[in-house]
Amino acid sequence: MSEERPPSDAAQEETSDDVRVDETHAADADAWATACAEDLAEEQARRRAQHGPPPGSAAEELRKLVDAVADKLSGIQSPLFGAVASGTAQQMVNQVVQQARAAVEPVIERNPDVFDHLAAAGTELLAAYRSAVETQERRWTTRGTGTRDEEPGPGEHIDLD
C-alpha cells in the first residue's frame, strides 16, 4: 500500500503562487471587460446624442408610419367639398383611418418578427437591384471606348451598304 505524504513547504508555496497569479489574471480580465463596457456605453451615448435614438423594430416603425399618415389625413381640410360637405368628408376620412388602424394593428401585434424579415428582404432586393444597375452602367460607359472588334457579344456586325 502506498503511503500518502503531506506536501512539502516548497510545494505549498508553489500552489499558493499559482492561485495568486490566477487571481491577478482574473482581476485583469475583469478590469479589461469593465473598461470595454464603459467605452461602449460612452460611445453609444455619444451616438444617441449626435444622431438621436436608434430606430425601433420594423413593426414599431410601421406603427409610427400608420399613425403619422392617419394624423395627416385627419388634419386635411379639403376646399373642394365646400363648407357644407366638409363635415361629412371629415367623418369619412376619420372612418377610413380607423378602419386602416383596425386592420393593421392586429397584424403587427401577432407577427412583429415578420416585419423585420420583410425589411431584411427589402434590403437584399435593393442590393441586388443596385448591383444590376451598376453592372449595366459599367457596360454603357465602356461600350463607346473601344473598337467594334473588342466588344463582347454573340452578335456579328453586318454592313447594309
Side-chain angles (χ1 to χ4, degrees), residues 59-138:
E60 292 171 2
E61 294 299 317
L62 178 62
R63 186 175 289 125
K64 288 179 187 177
L65 175 66
V66 168
D67 289 342
V69 170
D71 291 342
K72 195 68 167 175
L73 286 175
S74 297
I76 292 177
Q77 298 293 329
S78 177
L80 300 174
F81 296 120
V84 176
S86 67
T88 306
Q90 189 66 31
Q91 288 176 351
M92 287 177 41
V93 167
N94 287 340
Q95 184 178 5
V96 169
V97 167
Q98 291 302 322
Q99 288 175 347
R101 278 187 179 165
V104 169
E105 283 296 322
V107 175
I108 292 172
E109 291 294 324
R110 283 180 288 192
N111 307 312
D113 293 341
V114 169
F115 294 101
D116 292 331
H117 292 296
L118 288 174
T123 302
E124 291 296 322
L125 285 172
L126 182 61
Y129 175 76
R130 184 181 302 129
S131 175
V133 168
E134 287 174 354
T135 303
Q136 187 62 38
E137 286 177 346
R138 197 173 309 116

Side-chain angles (χ1 to χ4, degrees), residues 13-32:
E13 287 177 14
E14 286 178 15
T15 57
S16 65
D17 287 342
D18 290 342
V19 170
R20 282 188 214 127
V21 170
D22 289 341
E23 289 174 357
T24 305
H25 287 302
D28 288 343
D30 289 342
W32 178 257

